[in-house]
Amino acid sequence: MLPPSATLPTVAELNAWSRHTMGEHLGIEITAVEERAIEGRMPVDHRTHQPMGLLHGGASVVLAETLGSIGAVLQVDRSKYACVGLEINANHIKSVRSGYVIGRAEALHLGRTTQIWEIRIRHEESGALVCISRITMAVIEVPAKKVQPNT
């Protein structure tokens, strides 16, 4: 699916993709990119807390989906294909009150029409596993742009 001449975007380029998105609002930043893996971090603060002052499980899922989605789209020819989420699940293992969480998404399956990514989220300071998630992505063709006649 990926053209042989394709190169991975830089971390700076990937972070630019997230401007004006939920990821930017939550403070998510990409920190590393590899051929079949991507890493990022997210602050545990007022933007990502639930009312008891703990990391909101939904924020962990946003980090997981962000990493899995970016990882997936890096596997395809973006001029022909897009990747969209089909299903995501998450098991919340440990609570976190402050600092950062680090997510690492790794490809488990890179098929022609689907991809499966596993995302492990850890507390940056302690290294403790906070959440483990899996996302299934659909690989879809980008619709051809229709040329509008001049009226």
Side-chain angles (χ1 to χ4, degrees):
M1 290 188 316
L2 191 61
S5 62
T7 59
L8 290 173
T10 66
V11 167
E13 289 169 330
L14 293 176
N15 283 315
W17 288 3
S18 294
R19 286 194 187 114
H20 308 294
T21 68
M22 182 184 289
E24 181 183 54
H25 176 72
L26 295 182
I28 294 172
E29 59 182 309
I30 303 305
T31 56
V33 61
E34 301 168 19
E35 190 173 314
R36 292 175 57 111
I38 185 165
E39 293 182 6
R41 71 184 203 148
M42 179 178 69
V44 181
D45 63 15
H46 67 280
R47 296 169 289 180
T48 57
H49 279 161
Q50 42 93 305
M52 291 177 52
L54 303 171
L55 176 62
H56 193 294
S60 293
V61 174
V62 171
L63 176 58
E65 184 151 357
T66 298
L67 294 174
S69 295
I70 293 172
V73 79
L74 294 180
Q75 306 305 311
V76 301
D77 179 342
R78 293 183 300 279
S79 69
K80 297 178 183 175
Y81 300 98
C83 296
V84 295
L86 278 178
E87 189 272 343
I88 189 166
N89 68 58
N91 293 104
H92 306 291
I93 298 164
K94 183 167 180 58
S95 61
V96 177
R97 290 189 175 276
S98 62
Y100 281 85
V101 288
I102 305 298
R104 179 174 174 83
E106 295 186 3
L108 299 179
H109 166 73
L110 298 176
R112 187 178 56 80
T113 60
T114 61
Q115 297 182 25
I116 301 171
W117 290 75
E118 179 181 79
I119 304 93
R120 291 178 177 262
I121 299 173
R122 298 185 178 277
H123 187 241
E124 184 177 53
E125 187 177 313
S126 70
L129 186 61
V130 173
C131 177
I132 187 163
S133 180
R134 187 178 317 189
I135 188 167
T136 303
M137 302 295 297
V139 179
I140 61 172
E141 288 187 37
V142 174
K145 293 182 180 180
K146 295 181 181 179
V147 177
Q148 298 294 323
N150 292 333
T151 55

